[in-house]
Amino acid sequence: MVTLAEEVPVTLEQSAHDEDIARLFGQEGPLSEAVEGFRPRQSQTDMAKAVATSIAHQQVLVAEAGTGTGKTFAYLVPALLWGGKVIISTGTKNLQDQLFLRDIPTVRKALSAPVSVALLKGRANYVCHFHLERTLENGRLTSREDVDYLREISRFIKTTGTGDKAELSRVPETAPVWNLVTSTRDTCLGAECRHYQDCFVMKARKEAQQADVVVVNHHLFFADVALKDTGVAELLPTANTVIFDEAHQLPETASLFFGDSVSTSQILELCRDVLAEGLAHARDGADWGKVVSPVERAARELRLAFPQDVVRLALGQIAPSSEFFPALEKLKTELTALTTVLESQAERAETIEQCRARALDLQTRIAAWNAQSEPVHDEEERVLWVEAFSSSLQLHKTPLSIAPIFAKQREGTPRAWIFTSATLAVKNDFSHYAAQMGLTDAPSRTWPSPFDYGRQALLYVPPNLPQPNTLDYTDAVVDAALPIIEAAGGRTFLLCTTLRAVTRSAERLRTEFSKRGLSFPLFVQGETGRTELLERFRAAGNGVLIGSQSFWEGVDVRGEALSLVVIDKLPFAPPDDPVLAARIEALEKKGLNGFMHHQLPEAVINLKQGAGRLIRDESDRGVLMICDPRLIAKPYGRRIWQSLPPFKRTREVTEVLAFFRPAAE
């Protein structure tokens, strides 16, 4: 990994850009005038200069910017002024909307930059005229609530310009009715659809084609690169600059899309559609109930091959005598029979032809999944594994490394690639992230947070806790956290590494709050949606929120509502995860230590995300309580806490209680 200074000589153009950036981000600059509360920060200005340099030289830049640096403006200013055609990819749809609706308009207005901007989401975010019409006709709704939601959607489609379901707040994003009124890659009729000219997906893609700046998300970006299905494929050839915000999520997202997954849910959904379309358009062509029922039965029997609720097994871990293998063969046979019937009736209707294409695609992918019993040994080595949920089963084929695949995607047309996040390095070392993404020769820079962590925050590791694998560990964490939660006046995030720990912590805290007469509202992941939980937590002002992975990142609670973050364990991935096990094995074949080269850096990056929830601006104060004794006892513990912001550290509970006292008085 090389530094930016070593990589490029300073040119006249770059020098002019540096002067412009210093002026734009300065005390008297347009950003200071246009943005309420804006203050010049040297780290933000320096990052903007580095981004401008990468754009000018069509280079890669790996940029870690600590919380509070203002990285969004640091990349937006040079991108809007000099980036040409820009694709910005974010970690979540929420951040995507924030960029499009708030951040980009603010910067564009401040700079008077004449750039056009478009928002592009996956097709499941746009109402589909065809599927809405079909659902209104068929009326396959099971609840009164869904009927009301459908009425709202049919009103919405007459007034919306975008068809984006995020605009219709009265219908929750998780409402099942959305699946019936949006399309998927499998169920889209494409140019054959009579609503093609009015299609919101096509409209969004057309706007993206013509815009200077296009905002997408990582799932969309990589789904496109892998499936050529999102419209990004048409954008990439003309893009001069690609920026990945929340870039620490890319290895996991890319693994998902550069691999392949087939689920029994997809097969059951196909069967439902075959039955509906067969009865509607070719009632006399077959006994459609008898055609689909053997396939449905075979799909359910495949799931029942594993009696447990949740299963994650590599192919090699499934016993040869397991019912899984004959059940899989049975499903293949029944799916082939279904495809044959559909082929004989496909001419009767476009929708039956579409069902035939879907059946053939599923049949091909299931056959390809275990065409060989060992993973393919080439530069794109993959692991085959099975994941079972309560009512479905997925067959996965996941690449062990995305580096060679992603490196291929970056070949060809020269352009700038910017990868930025608050968490990419381990103690200022980017080698783990660079190896994952195939960026080993890329310039990298880190800009520390401007916050005064030594004054604003305290890192507390409680003494005398048992080892994390002991049976009553979660109870011990709650016991240690209770006096601190009380001293903090609630205002706490308890971040757990497992859902089981979330459930147990919630049980204990409910009991203890009641017993001690503490009136702190308790918000528990799973009781309602993430956004609503956070809104209620902020509004309460003295709440305690218990969550797992989805609350470790992308959550911003400023001010006094959050003053204590408790982390139950160091976030090491479960060692029995089939993909992790295969990656460790591959590293060890190369003579590397799987723990030191993969598990530890991954845990550090996750922990940095969790710790980053605590201090969100210059006036925040709080305690980060990490309960895992390995942080002190293990040799690698030092490497972990040295990767965190420079908190003042203590093991004394009295010091923690004293820290909260001034705030309480």
Side-chain angles (χ1 to χ4, degrees), residues 190-494:
E192 302 296 315
C193 181
R194 67 176 175 276
H195 299 287
Y196 187 73
Q197 295 304 318
D198 302 315
C199 175
F200 292 121
V201 174
M202 292 303 128
K203 208 177 280 186
R205 289 182 183 180
K206 193 174 179 184
E207 284 178 12
Q209 284 290 314
Q210 295 165 351
D212 300 308
V213 178
V214 185
V215 185
V216 301
N217 61 61
H218 301 339
H219 277 77
L220 186 71
F221 187 94
F222 285 108
D224 175 73
V225 169
L227 306 173
K228 302 288 182 285
D229 179 53
T230 67
V232 179
E234 297 149 13
L235 297 174
L236 256 183
T238 58
N240 307 99
T241 304
V242 180
I243 299 171
F244 292 106
D245 199 344
E246 301 297 314
H248 64 279
Q249 296 177 6
L250 292 181
E252 190 177 335
T253 307
S255 292
L256 187 69
F257 287 105
F258 288 143
D260 190 25
S261 293
V262 191
S263 77
T264 56
S265 297
Q266 287 172 286
I267 292 164
L268 294 173
E269 194 176 290
L270 170 69
C271 289
R272 283 194 296 272
D273 289 346
V274 167
L275 183 61
E277 299 308 327
L279 291 174
H281 302 290
R283 186 176 285 271
D284 58 338
D287 185 338
W288 293 102
K290 284 185 178 172
V291 168
V292 301
S293 61
V295 185
E296 290 177 325
R297 190 161 51 248
R300 291 194 174 99
E301 283 172 2
L302 183 65
R303 167 62 193 93
L304 294 172
F306 300 102
Q308 308 96 310
D309 270 357
V310 180
V311 175
R312 290 165 69 93
L313 292 172
L315 182 59
Q317 293 176 301
I318 303 171
S321 59
S322 167
E323 292 173 17
F324 169 77
F325 295 104
L328 184 61
E329 291 307 313
K330 177 73 171 166
L331 179 59
K332 289 180 189 175
T333 303
E334 299 298 357
L335 204 48
T336 303
L338 173 65
T339 308
T340 304
V341 174
L342 288 168
E343 279 170 353
S344 71
Q345 301 297 316
E347 293 178 356
R348 306 280 292 271
E350 289 168 7
T351 49
I352 297 179
E353 161 56 28
Q354 187 188 57
C355 287
R356 182 203 66 80
R358 283 166 64 191
L360 188 60
D361 177 58
L362 287 168
Q363 187 185 328
T364 305
R365 285 160 65 196
I366 291 171
W369 179 74
N370 71 333
Q372 64 288 311
S373 58
E374 294 297 319
V376 180
H377 286 277
D378 59 15
E379 63 172 359
E380 294 175 14
E381 194 174 353
R382 294 163 192 269
V383 58
L384 307 183
W385 57 290
V386 171
E387 187 170 25
F389 302 96
S390 55
S391 59
S392 69
L393 180 135
Q394 293 184 341
L395 306 174
H396 297 284
K397 188 185 286 189
T398 305
L400 291 187
S401 170
I402 62 156
I405 316 171
F406 189 55
K408 277 184 194 168
Q409 303 300 330
R410 293 191 297 107
E411 288 171 2
T413 311
R415 58 174 64 92
W417 295 83
I418 314 294
F419 299 82
T420 185
S421 168
T423 57
L424 295 174
V426 178
K427 205 182 160 191
N428 294 330
D429 178 0
F430 290 86
S431 55
H432 172 65
Y433 184 77
Q436 283 184 302
M437 296 299 296
L439 303 171
T440 44
D441 295 325
S444 66
R445 293 283 299 275
T446 185
W447 291 274
S449 168
F451 300 152
D452 184 352
Y453 285 100
R455 180 185 60 79
Q456 290 178 250
L458 197 60
L459 169 60
Y460 171 52
V461 182
N464 307 319
L465 277 177
Q467 287 305 303
N469 58 357
T470 54
L471 204 58
D472 57 352
Y473 181 75
T474 301
D475 288 312
V477 167
V478 171
D479 289 338
L482 266 165
I484 316 300
I485 293 171
E486 193 169 352
R491 304 185 296 155
T492 299
F493 270 10
L494 171 50

Side-chain angles (χ1 to χ4, degrees), residues 32 60 177 189 191 197 340 357 368 416 457-458 493 513 523 532 542 615:
S32 187
V60 175
V177 72
L189 294 175
Q197 295 304 318
T340 304
L458 197 60
F493 270 10
F513 287 177
F523 305 100
E532 190 182 334
N542 67 337
I615 303 297

Side-chain angles (χ1 to χ4, degrees), residues 511-532:
T511 304
E512 293 294 336
F513 287 177
S514 172
K515 197 188 293 182
R516 298 171 187 223
L518 299 173
S519 56
F520 305 139
L522 201 58
F523 305 100
V524 183
Q525 180 178 335
E527 290 182 351
T528 186
R530 179 175 181 256
T531 306
E532 190 182 334

Side-chain angles (χ1 to χ4, degrees), residues 122-193:
R123 60 169 74 247
N125 292 277
Y126 302 97
V127 180
C128 168
H129 292 83
F130 171 75
H131 286 284
L132 174 60
E133 190 177 85
R134 195 171 73 154
T135 303
L136 286 166
E137 286 169 7
N138 294 351
R140 289 188 290 171
L141 299 174
T142 53
S143 73
R144 174 136 199 89
E145 193 175 46
D146 279 347
V147 172
D148 292 340
Y149 289 155
L150 186 63
R151 199 176 292 122
E152 290 280 2
I153 294 166
S154 58
R155 277 200 288 264
F156 168 69
I157 203 169
K158 292 168 188 160
T159 57
T160 177
T162 67
D164 184 348
K165 68 181 188 183
E167 291 178 10
L168 185 56
S169 57
R170 286 192 297 275
V171 181
E173 196 180 342
T174 52
V177 72
W178 284 120
N179 295 329
L180 299 173
V181 299
T182 54
S183 71
T184 66
R185 179 167 167 255
D186 291 335
T187 63
C188 175
L189 294 175
E192 302 296 315
C193 181

Side-chain angles (χ1 to χ4, degrees), residues 491 520-523 533-544 561:
R491 304 185 296 155
F520 305 139
L522 201 58
F523 305 100
L533 266 185
L534 281 168
E535 284 171 2
R536 284 162 55 189
F537 175 83
R538 286 190 190 101
N542 67 337
V544 175

